[in-house]
Amino acid sequence: LRRRGGGDVEAAASEAADDEKAVEEVRKALESGAGVSSHEHHMVYNGKEVDETEFKQSAFAEYASMIGMDVMNMSLSLPIYCFEPSTVLSRMSETFEFAELLNTAAKQTDPGMKHAYVAAFIVSSYAHSGVRTLKPFDSVPGETFEMYHDDIGLRYIAEHVRDAPKSLSIGYCEGRGWSFTEDVQPVAMFHGNSVEISNEGHRKLVFEASGGDAPEVLSWAYPSTNVCNLFLGSTYIDHHGDLTVKNHSTGMRVVLRFTKSGWFDNGRFEVKGAVVDANEQAQVLLEGKWNESFSARPVSAMLDPSIELWSANGHVDTTSPWKFTKLAKSYFDVSEEELSKLPLTDSRQRKDVRLLLQGKSAEASEARSKILYKLNARNKTKMDSALAARAKGEEEDEFAGVQYFKQVDCKEAHTEWDYNGRYFEAVAALSADDRLKQALF
């Protein structure tokens, strides 16, 4: 156990005991073949159904010894049928499926409602995760992902900058009157029949100056996410905990509580909260469900009906075997002509993702192995270079290869990374020869 205060040590000991109990329950159930978890997605390999019980027994035998460990940042090899045809970077961009909420927030003259729309955007960013329990492909250092939505004035760029010792991906998005930066540094602790995911990164939203007002800078950290019933029961995802949005310019805050799912799904999906001014006075009350809708009720109009700020409104494409949202479905279903216009570092250039999307599991697995082989070769070269530099008394910058983001002082910038402003112009100016030099996969 880590060193903690008395109460923390007791809590850690209790959690460890619960984990060991969960492991034993899973082990016994798998041995009998009873209660094996059922996914919304069928596990298919090369056109044939995979024996889920057999897979779970094999996987559990490997993971049972990893209780309490961060399995996100370990070099674990999962079979191809545990993946969906997306990447870490493309999944990050799905946060902006309802980015028009931020466009609306930027136009608000009432500070309370402005922050209410920010809250609605944050809640909406979880909607795509409700029915998807398969894993995206891990992005590799140097990989990028771009997205444009001209109808709402949005453009997005993400770059994966590190895979070890801890994964780090950074994204930047801009819309009408706002910009957003986040760095994603996930940690996933294995608890026997579940994984608890936390994100040690940062989120920063900036509203542009308007009407003589100064820019507003907001930041927040996400609550925990549990992937429950990995081996026993029906697998589902649950977001829970407190989330506080801080406006560093005005002192206003948004306080949200994501309810943890209870027995028989009691409280699952529920979110409640309030917009609070600098004097700690509630201005707007908030409530909804992160998979359905979100509403606001100004304190000054408590007798009026609540205002619906956001509705998921059938955003999941029911024809998709992967249960993609309509936005996600459009990402990788691209023509050769469209691919030719994208940088060779873009996630859409990955053959493993495109092959899996076509249902060619065996070919996708082989393509993924080739990408990992190239990654391991690059990592070895990088390690050899670092060792050589260290032998000379020098230290190599582990982030020297980052192309489109820069490190900043977190105390001043409220984030560790900011966009350097180079991607869109650099890609537009790429010559054919320079484009070929970027080949990553």
Side-chain angles (χ1 to χ4, degrees):
L1 296 177
R2 295 175 184 156
R3 295 193 177 189
R4 311 181 185 210
D8 288 341
V9 170
E10 291 177 6
S14 176
E15 183 178 278
D18 288 343
D19 288 348
E20 291 297 337
K21 182 179 178 181
V23 166
E24 195 56 33
E25 288 176 352
V26 172
R27 193 191 315 277
K28 290 180 179 178
L30 288 177
E31 286 175 354
S32 67
V36 174
S37 66
S38 175
H39 284 275
E40 290 288 331
H41 307 273
H42 290 295
M43 291 186 169
V44 178
Y45 180 75
N46 218 20
K48 297 180 180 179
E49 291 266 349
V50 173
D51 186 321
E52 197 164 349
T53 299
E54 185 177 315
F55 163 68
K56 293 292 172 60
Q57 291 171 338
S58 174
F60 184 76
E62 180 179 356
Y63 301 146
S65 62
M66 300 177 187
I67 287 293
M69 295 184 184
D70 175 13
V71 293
M72 179 72 74
N73 294 293
M74 299 173 70
S75 298
L76 300 177
S77 180
L78 293 172
I80 198 70
Y81 41 80
C82 290
F83 293 86
E84 66 170 32
S86 69
T87 68
V88 166
L89 296 186
S90 71
R91 283 293 293 263
M92 283 172 58
S93 74
E94 291 184 53
T95 295
F96 298 94
E97 179 134 17
F98 300 97
E100 66 269 17
L101 290 166
L102 292 181
N103 289 352
T104 302
K107 294 185 291 186
Q108 296 298 306
T109 56
D110 178 83
M113 289 306 296
K114 183 175 193 173
H115 287 73
Y117 275 102
V118 172
F121 164 75
I122 292 171
V123 171
S124 77
S125 70
Y126 286 98
H128 72 278
S129 66
V131 293
R132 287 162 64 187
T133 56
L134 295 179
K135 188 180 183 303
F137 285 94
D138 292 324
S139 294
V140 301
E143 184 173 334
T144 61
F145 185 83
E146 66 175 51
M147 176 179 68
Y148 295 86
H149 277 285
D150 295 335
D151 55 334
I152 59 173
L154 181 146
R155 62 180 186 174
Y156 174 88
I157 169 60
E159 178 180 3
H160 187 73
V161 302
R162 183 181 65 193
D163 59 353
K166 183 177 288 187
S167 176
L168 172 59
S169 302
I170 313 170
Y172 169 80
C173 190
E174 58 187 38
R176 292 173 178 155
W178 59 271
S179 62
F180 177 94
T181 310
E182 74 170 332
D183 57 279
V184 176
Q185 303 182 54
V187 173
M189 306 302 290
F190 179 54
H191 295 300
N193 196 31
S194 66
V195 171
E196 183 176 13
I197 303 171
S198 58
N199 188 343
E200 297 181 354
H202 308 76
R203 270 111 241 127
K204 183 177 77 169
L205 173 65
V206 179
F207 287 111
E208 297 172 1
S210 63
D213 295 330
E216 291 184 49
V217 180
L218 292 74
S219 70
W220 63 90
Y222 285 127
S224 297
T225 293
N226 278 20
V227 183
C228 305
N229 297 344
L230 292 174
F231 300 98
L232 303 178
S234 181
T235 303
Y236 67 94
I237 290 176
D238 186 30
H239 307 293
H240 62 91
D242 295 337
L243 184 155
T244 300
V245 180
K246 298 178 181 179
N247 187 319
H248 301 279
S249 307
T250 69
M252 293 191 75
R253 294 184 300 127
V254 177
V255 181
L256 296 173
R257 172 158 291 180
F258 288 71
T259 303
K260 189 171 185 177
S261 179
W263 287 100
F264 307 108
D265 286 345
N266 181 43
R268 188 181 175 199
F269 307 119
E270 289 182 2
V271 185
K272 292 185 178 181
V275 177
V276 181
D277 65 18
N279 297 316
E280 296 296 311
Q281 298 298 308
Q283 299 298 306
V284 184
L285 302 183
L286 308 166
E287 66 176 348
K289 292 187 175 183
W290 55 261
N291 68 326
E292 287 183 4
S293 62
F294 194 70
S295 300
R297 189 191 300 270
V299 172
S300 60
M302 288 299 290
L303 298 180
D304 294 341
S306 60
I307 305 165
E308 185 176 79
L309 306 181
W310 164 75
S311 172
N313 197 26
H315 72 301
V316 174
D317 180 3
T318 56
T319 67
S320 168
W322 309 101
K323 300 194 183 297
F324 280 167
T325 64
K326 293 169 185 176
L327 175 65
K329 184 182 178 183
S330 69
Y331 283 165
F332 294 96
D333 189 13
V334 294
S335 66
E336 290 298 326
E337 182 181 355
E338 290 172 308
L339 279 177
S340 69
K341 298 175 183 177
L342 290 168
L344 295 183
T345 56
D346 194 280
S347 295
R348 298 172 185 85
Q349 304 286 2
R350 293 181 58 136
K351 289 185 178 179
D352 51 359
V353 178
R354 290 162 56 205
L355 286 166
L356 186 58
L357 189 63
Q358 298 167 17
K360 300 177 180 178
S361 306
E363 293 91 333
S365 181
E366 184 178 348
R368 173 172 169 259
S369 295
K370 289 179 180 178
I371 290 174
L372 293 178
Y373 178 82
K374 290 181 179 180
L375 172 62
N376 291 336
R378 288 195 297 271
N379 285 344
K380 184 178 185 306
T381 299
K382 187 176 181 179
M383 185 178 294
D384 291 344
S385 177
L387 290 173
R390 198 168 299 166
K392 298 177 183 178
E394 303 171 355
E395 285 293 333
E396 279 205 344
D397 179 4
E398 66 170 320
F399 297 117
V402 180
Q403 299 182 75
Y404 306 115
F405 294 88
K406 59 184 179 182
Q407 286 182 287
V408 292
D409 185 338
C410 192
K411 290 183 179 179
E412 293 183 6
H414 308 293
T415 183
E416 291 183 357
W417 294 86
D418 260 336
Y419 177 53
N420 64 19
R422 297 175 185 167
Y423 176 81
F424 300 103
E425 292 73 15
V427 169
L430 273 180
S431 67
D433 288 341
D434 287 339
R435 185 173 179 277
L436 288 174
K437 291 176 184 177
Q438 286 189 331
L440 184 63
F441 309 116

Short mmCIF file of all heavy atoms in Angstrom, two decimals, residues 376-418:
data_model
loop_
_atom_site.label_atom_id
_atom_site.label_comp_id
_atom_site.label_asym_id
_atom_site.label_seq_id
_atom_site.Cartn_x
_atom_site.Cartn_y
_atom_site.Cartn_z
N ASN A 376 7.57 -0.32 -32.22
CA ASN A 376 8.62 -0.87 -31.36
C ASN A 376 10.00 -0.55 -31.91
O ASN A 376 10.93 -0.27 -31.14
CB ASN A 376 8.44 -2.38 -31.22
CG ASN A 376 7.21 -2.75 -30.41
OD1 ASN A 376 6.74 -1.96 -29.60
ND2 ASN A 376 6.68 -3.94 -30.64
N ALA A 377 10.13 -0.58 -33.23
CA ALA A 377 11.43 -0.25 -33.85
C ALA A 377 11.78 1.22 -33.60
O ALA A 377 12.93 1.55 -33.28
CB ALA A 377 11.38 -0.54 -35.35
N ARG A 378 10.78 2.10 -33.73
CA ARG A 378 11.03 3.53 -33.47
C ARG A 378 11.37 3.76 -32.00
O ARG A 378 12.24 4.57 -31.66
CB ARG A 378 9.81 4.36 -33.87
CG ARG A 378 9.60 4.48 -35.36
CD ARG A 378 8.61 5.60 -35.69
NE ARG A 378 7.28 5.35 -35.16
CZ ARG A 378 6.33 4.70 -35.80
NH1 ARG A 378 6.56 4.20 -37.02
NH2 ARG A 378 5.14 4.52 -35.26
N ASN A 379 10.67 3.05 -31.11
CA ASN A 379 10.94 3.19 -29.68
C ASN A 379 12.36 2.74 -29.33
O ASN A 379 13.02 3.35 -28.48
CB ASN A 379 9.92 2.39 -28.86
CG ASN A 379 8.56 3.07 -28.82
OD1 ASN A 379 8.43 4.24 -29.13
ND2 ASN A 379 7.54 2.32 -28.43
N LYS A 380 12.81 1.67 -29.97
CA LYS A 380 14.16 1.19 -29.70
C LYS A 380 15.20 2.21 -30.17
O LYS A 380 16.18 2.49 -29.47
CB LYS A 380 14.40 -0.14 -30.42
CG LYS A 380 15.77 -0.76 -30.09
CD LYS A 380 15.97 -2.08 -30.77
CE LYS A 380 17.29 -2.72 -30.34
NZ LYS A 380 18.45 -1.83 -30.54
N THR A 381 14.97 2.77 -31.36
CA THR A 381 15.89 3.80 -31.86
C THR A 381 15.93 5.00 -30.92
O THR A 381 17.00 5.55 -30.62
CB THR A 381 15.45 4.26 -33.27
OG1 THR A 381 15.47 3.15 -34.15
CG2 THR A 381 16.38 5.35 -33.80
N LYS A 382 14.75 5.40 -30.43
CA LYS A 382 14.66 6.54 -29.52
C LYS A 382 15.36 6.24 -28.20
O LYS A 382 16.07 7.09 -27.63
CB LYS A 382 13.18 6.86 -29.27
CG LYS A 382 12.95 8.13 -28.47
CD LYS A 382 11.46 8.43 -28.37
CE LYS A 382 11.22 9.71 -27.58
NZ LYS A 382 9.77 10.02 -27.49
N MET A 383 15.20 5.01 -27.70
CA MET A 383 15.84 4.62 -26.44
C MET A 383 17.36 4.59 -26.59
O MET A 383 18.10 5.05 -25.71
CB MET A 383 15.33 3.26 -25.98
CG MET A 383 15.84 2.83 -24.61
SD MET A 383 15.17 1.24 -24.08
CE MET A 383 13.44 1.67 -23.91
N ASP A 384 17.83 4.04 -27.72
CA ASP A 384 19.28 4.00 -27.97
C ASP A 384 19.85 5.40 -28.03
O ASP A 384 20.95 5.67 -27.51
CB ASP A 384 19.57 3.27 -29.29
CG ASP A 384 19.27 1.77 -29.20
OD1 ASP A 384 19.15 1.27 -28.07
OD2 ASP A 384 19.16 1.12 -30.26
N SER A 385 19.13 6.33 -28.65
CA SER A 385 19.59 7.71 -28.75
C SER A 385 19.63 8.37 -27.38
O SER A 385 20.58 9.11 -27.06
CB SER A 385 18.65 8.49 -29.67
OG SER A 385 19.00 9.85 -29.74
N ALA A 386 18.62 8.08 -26.54
CA ALA A 386 18.58 8.66 -25.20
C ALA A 386 19.73 8.13 -24.34
O ALA A 386 20.35 8.88 -23.59
CB ALA A 386 17.24 8.33 -24.55
N LEU A 387 20.02 6.83 -24.47
CA LEU A 387 21.12 6.24 -23.71
C LEU A 387 22.46 6.81 -24.14
O LEU A 387 23.34 7.08 -23.30
CB LEU A 387 21.12 4.72 -23.87
CG LEU A 387 19.96 3.98 -23.19
CD1 LEU A 387 19.97 2.50 -23.57
CD2 LEU A 387 20.04 4.14 -21.67
N ALA A 388 22.63 7.01 -25.44
CA ALA A 388 23.86 7.60 -25.96
C ALA A 388 24.04 9.02 -25.45
O ALA A 388 25.15 9.44 -25.07
CB ALA A 388 23.85 7.57 -27.49
N ALA A 389 22.95 9.78 -25.42
CA ALA A 389 23.01 11.16 -24.94
C ALA A 389 23.34 11.19 -23.45
O ALA A 389 24.14 12.02 -22.98
CB ALA A 389 21.68 11.86 -25.20
N ARG A 390 22.73 10.26 -22.71
CA ARG A 390 22.96 10.22 -21.27
C ARG A 390 24.41 9.86 -20.96
O ARG A 390 24.99 10.36 -19.99
CB ARG A 390 22.01 9.21 -20.64
CG ARG A 390 21.83 9.37 -19.14
CD ARG A 390 20.66 8.53 -18.65
NE ARG A 390 19.41 8.93 -19.27
CZ ARG A 390 18.31 8.22 -19.23
NH1 ARG A 390 18.30 7.04 -18.62
NH2 ARG A 390 17.21 8.66 -19.79
N ALA A 391 25.01 9.00 -21.79
CA ALA A 391 26.41 8.62 -21.61
C ALA A 391 27.33 9.83 -21.77
O ALA A 391 28.43 9.87 -21.21
CB ALA A 391 26.79 7.53 -22.60
N LYS A 392 26.87 10.82 -22.54
CA LYS A 392 27.66 12.04 -22.75
C LYS A 392 27.31 13.12 -21.74
O LYS A 392 27.78 14.26 -21.84
CB LYS A 392 27.40 12.58 -24.16
CG LYS A 392 27.81 11.65 -25.28
CD LYS A 392 27.44 12.25 -26.63
CE LYS A 392 27.77 11.31 -27.77
NZ LYS A 392 27.37 11.88 -29.08
N GLY A 393 26.44 12.76 -20.77
CA GLY A 393 26.05 13.74 -19.78
C GLY A 393 24.96 14.68 -20.27
O GLY A 393 24.73 15.73 -19.67
N GLU A 394 24.27 14.28 -21.34
CA GLU A 394 23.21 15.12 -21.90
C GLU A 394 21.85 14.47 -21.62
O GLU A 394 21.76 13.29 -21.35
CB GLU A 394 23.40 15.27 -23.41
CG GLU A 394 24.75 15.86 -23.80
CD GLU A 394 24.99 15.78 -25.30
OE1 GLU A 394 24.14 15.19 -26.00
OE2 GLU A 394 26.02 16.29 -25.78
N GLU A 395 20.81 15.27 -21.70
CA GLU A 395 19.44 14.76 -21.53
C GLU A 395 18.64 15.10 -22.78
O GLU A 395 18.62 16.24 -23.22
CB GLU A 395 18.78 15.38 -20.30
CG GLU A 395 19.26 14.82 -18.98
CD GLU A 395 18.87 13.37 -18.76
OE1 GLU A 395 17.84 12.95 -19.34
OE2 GLU A 395 19.60 12.66 -18.05
N GLU A 396 18.00 14.07 -23.34
CA GLU A 396 17.17 14.31 -24.52
C GLU A 396 15.78 14.78 -24.11
O GLU A 396 15.24 14.35 -23.09
CB GLU A 396 17.05 13.03 -25.36
CG GLU A 396 18.23 12.78 -26.25
CD GLU A 396 17.86 11.92 -27.45
OE1 GLU A 396 16.79 11.28 -27.41
OE2 GLU A 396 18.63 11.89 -28.42
N ASP A 397 15.20 15.68 -24.90
CA ASP A 397 13.84 16.14 -24.66
C ASP A 397 12.87 15.09 -25.18
O ASP A 397 12.81 14.83 -26.39
CB ASP A 397 13.62 17.47 -25.38
CG ASP A 397 12.21 18.02 -25.19
OD1 ASP A 397 11.43 17.40 -24.43
OD2 ASP A 397 11.89 19.05 -25.80
N GLU A 398 12.10 14.46 -24.26
CA GLU A 398 11.21 13.38 -24.70
C GLU A 398 10.09 13.88 -25.60
O GLU A 398 9.46 13.12 -26.30
CB GLU A 398 10.61 12.66 -23.49
CG GLU A 398 9.66 13.49 -22.65
CD GLU A 398 8.92 12.66 -21.62
OE1 GLU A 398 8.50 11.53 -21.94
OE2 GLU A 398 8.76 13.14 -20.48
N PHE A 399 9.86 15.20 -25.60
CA PHE A 399 8.78 15.75 -26.42
C PHE A 399 9.32 16.53 -27.62
O PHE A 399 8.60 17.34 -28.21
CB PHE A 399 7.90 16.67 -25.57
CG PHE A 399 7.18 15.96 -24.45
CD1 PHE A 399 7.44 16.30 -23.14
CD2 PHE A 399 6.29 14.94 -24.73
CE1 PHE A 399 6.78 15.64 -22.11
CE2 PHE A 399 5.64 14.27 -23.70
CZ PHE A 399 5.89 14.62 -22.38
N ALA A 400 10.57 16.25 -27.99
CA ALA A 400 11.18 16.98 -29.10
C ALA A 400 10.44 16.76 -30.41
O ALA A 400 10.46 17.61 -31.30
CB ALA A 400 12.64 16.56 -29.25
N GLY A 401 9.77 15.61 -30.55
CA GLY A 401 9.09 15.30 -31.80
C GLY A 401 7.67 15.81 -31.90
O GLY A 401 7.01 15.63 -32.93
N VAL A 402 7.17 16.47 -30.86
CA VAL A 402 5.80 16.99 -30.89
C VAL A 402 5.72 18.12 -31.90
O VAL A 402 6.49 19.08 -31.85
CB VAL A 402 5.36 17.49 -29.50
CG1 VAL A 402 3.94 18.03 -29.55
CG2 VAL A 402 5.46 16.36 -28.48
N GLN A 403 4.77 18.01 -32.83
CA GLN A 403 4.73 18.95 -33.95
C GLN A 403 3.80 20.13 -33.75
O GLN A 403 4.12 21.26 -34.14
CB GLN A 403 4.30 18.22 -35.23
CG GLN A 403 5.22 17.09 -35.65
CD GLN A 403 4.75 16.47 -36.95
OE1 GLN A 403 4.91 17.04 -38.02
NE2 GLN A 403 4.15 15.29 -36.85
N TYR A 404 2.63 19.90 -33.14
CA TYR A 404 1.59 20.93 -33.22
C TYR A 404 1.14 21.48 -31.86
O TYR A 404 0.21 22.28 -31.81
CB TYR A 404 0.38 20.35 -33.96
CG TYR A 404 0.76 19.80 -35.31
CD1 TYR A 404 0.64 18.43 -35.60
CD2 TYR A 404 1.30 20.62 -36.29
CE1 TYR A 404 1.02 17.93 -36.83
CE2 TYR A 404 1.69 20.12 -37.52
CZ TYR A 404 1.54 18.77 -37.78
OH TYR A 404 1.93 18.27 -39.01
N PHE A 405 1.85 21.08 -30.80
CA PHE A 405 1.51 21.59 -29.48
C PHE A 405 2.78 21.98 -28.73
O PHE A 405 3.87 21.50 -29.04
CB PHE A 405 0.72 20.54 -28.69
CG PHE A 405 -0.64 20.26 -29.28
CD1 PHE A 405 -0.81 19.30 -30.27
CD2 PHE A 405 -1.75 20.99 -28.87
CE1 PHE A 405 -2.05 19.05 -30.83
CE2 PHE A 405 -3.00 20.75 -29.43
CZ PHE A 405 -3.15 19.79 -30.40
N LYS A 406 2.64 22.85 -27.75
CA LYS A 406 3.78 23.32 -26.96
C LYS A 406 3.46 23.22 -25.48
O LYS A 406 2.32 23.41 -25.05
CB LYS A 406 4.11 24.77 -27.33
CG LYS A 406 2.96 25.74 -27.10
CD LYS A 406 3.29 27.14 -27.57
CE LYS A 406 2.10 28.09 -27.37
NZ LYS A 406 2.37 29.45 -27.87
N GLN A 407 4.48 22.94 -24.67
CA GLN A 407 4.29 22.89 -23.24
C GLN A 407 4.22 24.31 -22.68
O GLN A 407 4.94 25.21 -23.14
CB GLN A 407 5.44 22.13 -22.58
CG GLN A 407 5.37 20.62 -22.80
CD GLN A 407 6.49 19.88 -22.10
OE1 GLN A 407 7.63 19.93 -22.52
NE2 GLN A 407 6.15 19.20 -21.01
N VAL A 408 3.35 24.49 -21.70
CA VAL A 408 3.18 25.81 -21.09
C VAL A 408 3.12 25.67 -19.57
O VAL A 408 2.98 24.56 -19.04
CB VAL A 408 1.89 26.50 -21.60
CG1 VAL A 408 2.02 26.87 -23.07
CG2 VAL A 408 0.66 25.60 -21.39
N ASP A 409 3.22 26.79 -18.88
CA ASP A 409 3.15 26.82 -17.42
C ASP A 409 1.70 26.62 -16.99
O ASP A 409 0.84 27.47 -17.26
CB ASP A 409 3.68 28.17 -16.91
CG ASP A 409 3.74 28.22 -15.39
OD1 ASP A 409 3.02 27.45 -14.73
OD2 ASP A 409 4.51 29.04 -14.85
N CYS A 410 1.44 25.53 -16.31
CA CYS A 410 0.06 25.18 -15.95
C CYS A 410 -0.57 26.22 -15.02
O CYS A 410 -1.76 26.50 -15.10
CB CYS A 410 0.03 23.80 -15.30
SG CYS A 410 -1.62 23.11 -15.13
N LYS A 411 0.23 26.81 -14.13
CA LYS A 411 -0.33 27.79 -13.19
C LYS A 411 -0.84 29.03 -13.91
O LYS A 411 -1.83 29.64 -13.51
CB LYS A 411 0.73 28.19 -12.17
CG LYS A 411 1.08 27.08 -11.18
CD LYS A 411 2.08 27.54 -10.16
CE LYS A 411 2.40 26.43 -9.16
NZ LYS A 411 3.40 26.85 -8.14
N GLU A 412 -0.16 29.41 -14.99
CA GLU A 412 -0.58 30.60 -15.74
C GLU A 412 -1.59 30.27 -16.83
O GLU A 412 -2.54 31.01 -17.06
CB GLU A 412 0.64 31.28 -16.36
CG GLU A 412 1.60 31.88 -15.35
CD GLU A 412 2.75 32.61 -16.02
OE1 GLU A 412 2.72 32.74 -17.26
OE2 GLU A 412 3.67 33.04 -15.31
N ALA A 413 -1.39 29.14 -17.50
CA ALA A 413 -2.22 28.80 -18.67
C ALA A 413 -3.38 27.88 -18.34
O ALA A 413 -4.24 27.64 -19.18
CB ALA A 413 -1.36 28.16 -19.75
N HIS A 414 -3.40 27.32 -17.11
CA HIS A 414 -4.46 26.39 -16.67
C HIS A 414 -4.50 25.13 -17.53
O HIS A 414 -5.54 24.48 -17.66
CB HIS A 414 -5.82 27.09 -16.68
CG HIS A 414 -5.83 28.39 -15.93
ND1 HIS A 414 -5.66 28.44 -14.58
CD2 HIS A 414 -5.94 29.68 -16.36
CE1 HIS A 414 -5.69 29.69 -14.18
NE2 HIS A 414 -5.85 30.46 -15.23
N THR A 415 -3.39 24.80 -18.09
CA THR A 415 -3.21 23.55 -18.85
C THR A 415 -1.71 23.32 -19.00
O THR A 415 -0.90 24.24 -18.78
CB THR A 415 -3.87 23.64 -20.24
OG1 THR A 415 -3.73 22.38 -20.91
CG2 THR A 415 -3.22 24.72 -21.10
N GLU A 416 -1.33 22.09 -19.35
CA GLU A 416 0.09 21.80 -19.54
C GLU A 416 0.52 21.95 -21.00
O GLU A 416 1.70 22.05 -21.30
CB GLU A 416 0.40 20.38 -19.06
CG GLU A 416 0.29 20.21 -17.56
CD GLU A 416 0.66 18.81 -17.11
OE1 GLU A 416 0.95 17.96 -17.97
OE2 GLU A 416 0.66 18.57 -15.89
N TRP A 417 -0.48 21.96 -21.91
CA TRP A 417 -0.18 22.02 -23.34
C TRP A 417 -1.14 22.99 -24.02
O TRP A 417 -2.32 23.05 -23.70
CB TRP A 417 -0.34 20.64 -23.99
CG TRP A 417 0.66 19.64 -23.52
CD1 TRP A 417 0.57 18.83 -22.42
CD2 TRP A 417 1.92 19.35 -24.13
NE1 TRP A 417 1.69 18.04 -22.31
CE2 TRP A 417 2.54 18.34 -23.36
CE3 TRP A 417 2.58 19.81 -25.26
CZ2 TRP A 417 3.78 17.80 -23.67
CZ3 TRP A 417 3.82 19.27 -25.58
CH2 TRP A 417 4.41 18.29 -24.80
N ASP A 418 -0.60 23.74 -24.99
CA ASP A 418 -1.42 24.62 -25.82
C ASP A 418 -1.10 24.37 -27.29
O ASP A 418 0.01 23.93 -27.64
CB ASP A 418 -1.15 26.09 -25.50
CG ASP A 418 -2.22 26.70 -24.58
OD1 ASP A 418 -3.34 26.15 -24.58
OD2 ASP A 418 -1.93 27.68 -23.88
#
